[in-house]
Amino acid sequence: MSKINAVITGVGAFTPEYRLTNDELSRMVDTNDEWIMTRVGIKERRILKENEGTAASDMGAKAVEDLVRKTGLDLQEVDLVVCTTVTGDMVLPATAAIICDKVGIHKALAFDINGACSGFLYGLDLVSQYIRSGSKKKVILVSTEKMSSIVDYTDRTTCVLFGDAATAVLVEPTEEHIGLMDSNLHTDGFGREWLKIPAGGSAMPASHETVDGHKHFVYQEGKQVFKYAVTYMADATVDVMKRNNLTSDDVAWLVPHQANLRIISATQERMGIPKEKVMINIQNYGNTTSATIPLCLYEWESQLKKGDNLILAAFGAGFTWGALYVKWGYDAK
Ligand code: UT7
């Protein structure tokens, strides 16, 4: 019997209508388009407004509905739903459970994982193990982030960076030589102080002081995170290429996490691939945490061909980081 592998067979997404531009941000805090474009590369980001929903699960459910529209998936056949998010609706229950209820999935195994900006890579690796073991066959991996709910719009060092978005990918078994070929994923908690939300968990439960001190928002020491992101993301990418004997010519696309254009360029240069092979949409969405990579797959789907070699790479809070080697599973429809 041939070996079973896991392959992405469809991609859905939801991005809110509202566009928060650099001009609007420059009226809220002391910043400007020139600084944001040169240092990060973002023009605008999407923000969820109440007419489209209030929670990460609302966006996640819309992404699942888009996936169903595109693939004809029968939700009653879905046996696993994993949600990657750092902006879950509540501490409990899991956002995956809420999404399932909203879209009408009532018997599948469903749970959340938190890999921060590397969440999609962690999630794809995890669901692939379920599929390879033979225990799950129709899997939805949802990545949904309402970053606007944890961003302090009085802090210019973070509020220009993040946006809201959700994606849903379908992952299924295959006996063909396609799908997730290799995973090179890492975690090192030494970086935990430089990118975090200090309060709201058991270490610092919510109190008047934590609210007054803006401790429920994202806190980042950008320079420290940048220093590690720029080397670790590129190292993981080059390693995964080496151990799969992939040259720069063999790689069809780099699909990088969209946190900073300079981090993406550093990875591209280390791989020795031209800019044209890099998926970049940071200018339109900013950093949507675990949704950035699948949102790229969604936007480039029509250009992808079965058998294309993709390298997916990310770095995020924790620190979490790594790279996946994926052989794309289908031609554009
Ligand atoms: O996705 C999860 C992982 N996260 C990342 O990968 C993010 C990694 N870090 C970064 O991308 C960059 O560090 C940032 C984009 C966050 C910041 O860029 P930077 O080039 O590292 O800037 P900086 O923090 O060193 O700040 C330089 C200057 C400072 O002013 P002084 O002290 O030199 O006078 C900041 O106060 O820029 C100032 N600054 C701003 N100026 C205008 C910081 N934010 C802004 C702003 N507008 N929005």
Side-chain angles (χ1 to χ4, degrees):
M1 209 178 85
S2 330
K3 235 171 112 184
I4 299 172
N5 197 11
V7 64
I8 294 174
T9 53
V11 192
F14 169 76
T15 54
E17 285 288 319
Y18 191 81
R19 293 158 195 257
L20 176 58
T21 62
N22 291 349
D23 286 345
E24 186 175 352
L25 277 167
S26 67
R27 293 191 291 275
M28 295 158 64
V29 290
D30 181 15
T31 191
N32 56 73
D33 180 65
E34 203 258 330
W35 191 96
I36 302 170
M37 282 305 285
T38 355
R39 300 286 183 125
V40 206
I42 304 171
K43 259 290 179 221
E44 59 185 31
R45 45 315 267 144
R46 302 297 181 91
I47 303 294
L48 186 71
K49 298 286 184 188
E50 274 184 20
N51 61 322
E52 291 179 302
T54 52
S57 67
D58 293 321
M59 298 197 299
K62 286 186 164 77
V64 171
E65 283 156 12
D66 184 49
L67 179 70
V68 168
R69 256 192 312 275
K70 285 177 68 181
T71 59
L73 168 70
D74 177 357
L75 286 176
Q76 300 321 308
E77 290 180 3
V78 171
D79 47 13
L80 172 63
V81 177
V82 172
C83 176
T84 73
T85 186
V86 298
T87 54
D89 289 20
M90 305 169 194
V91 173
L92 64 101
T95 300
I98 303 172
I99 292 171
C100 284
D101 186 51
K102 285 182 177 172
V103 301
I105 300 174
H106 295 292
K107 291 273 162 59
L109 170 63
F111 56 90
D112 295 352
I113 61 165
N114 178 350
C117 293
S118 309
F120 181 76
L121 304 191
Y122 280 30
L124 187 59
D125 182 58
L126 176 79
V127 302
S128 297
Q129 308 292 352
Y130 272 99
I131 288 173
R132 288 173 186 149
S133 75
S135 84
K136 301 294 173 203
K137 291 193 168 51
K138 290 261 184 219
V139 179
I140 301 179
L141 177 59
V142 183
S143 302
T144 180
E145 305 285 9
K146 189 189 173 192
M147 294 305 291
S148 60
S149 67
I150 54 165
V151 163
D152 181 352
Y153 286 99
T154 64
D155 172 11
R156 71 173 181 173
T157 68
T158 50
C159 74
V160 303
L161 303 174
F162 298 100
D164 301 340
T167 60
V169 303
L170 180 60
V171 189
E172 294 183 88
T174 179
E175 293 190 5
E176 292 185 74
H177 187 61
I178 49 173
L180 179 58
M181 310 308 285
D182 194 13
S183 303
N184 183 19
L185 300 176
H186 307 276
T187 310
D188 193 336
F190 89 101
R192 66 188 182 280
E193 296 300 335
W194 294 314
L195 179 49
K196 62 181 179 182
I197 297 175
S202 56
M204 197 190 288
S207 66
H208 287 294
E209 288 73 28
T210 60
V211 172
D212 292 345
H214 293 215
K215 301 280 189 218
H216 294 270
F217 294 120
V218 173
Y219 166 84
Q220 178 173 239
E221 286 182 39
K223 250 193 181 5
Q224 283 293 346
V225 178
F226 185 91
K227 191 170 83 188
Y228 290 100
V230 89
T231 46
Y232 283 26
M233 191 164 122
D235 285 350
T237 305
V238 169
D239 281 354
V240 91
M241 284 173 70
K242 269 197 196 135
R243 66 195 205 189
N244 290 281
N245 298 315
L246 293 171
T247 67
S248 49
D249 287 341
D250 297 326
V251 175
W253 295 98
L254 166 65
V255 195
H257 172 51
Q258 315 276 315
N260 189 316
L261 201 49
R262 291 181 287 147
I263 299 172
I264 296 173
S265 302
T267 303
Q268 171 222 325
E269 280 161 26
R270 286 276 305 282
M271 292 170 76
I273 60 167
K275 256 206 329 260
E276 295 65 40
K277 285 187 171 185
V278 187
M279 297 186 190
I280 298 173
N281 59 12
I282 188 174
Q283 68 281 5
N284 299 327
Y285 301 106
N287 184 347
T288 58
T289 307
S290 70
T292 60
I293 290 174
L295 191 57
C296 283
L297 295 175
Y298 176 81
E299 293 208 315
W300 270 263
E301 188 187 26
S302 64
Q303 296 178 54
L304 296 174
K305 293 187 209 64
K306 186 171 179 178
D308 274 354
N309 291 320
L310 273 49
I311 302 289
L312 283 45
F315 183 91
F319 294 141
T320 62
W321 75 98
L324 302 184
Y325 166 31
V326 166
K327 238 181 204 312
W328 192 246
Y330 55 95
D331 292 322
K333 294 183 182 86

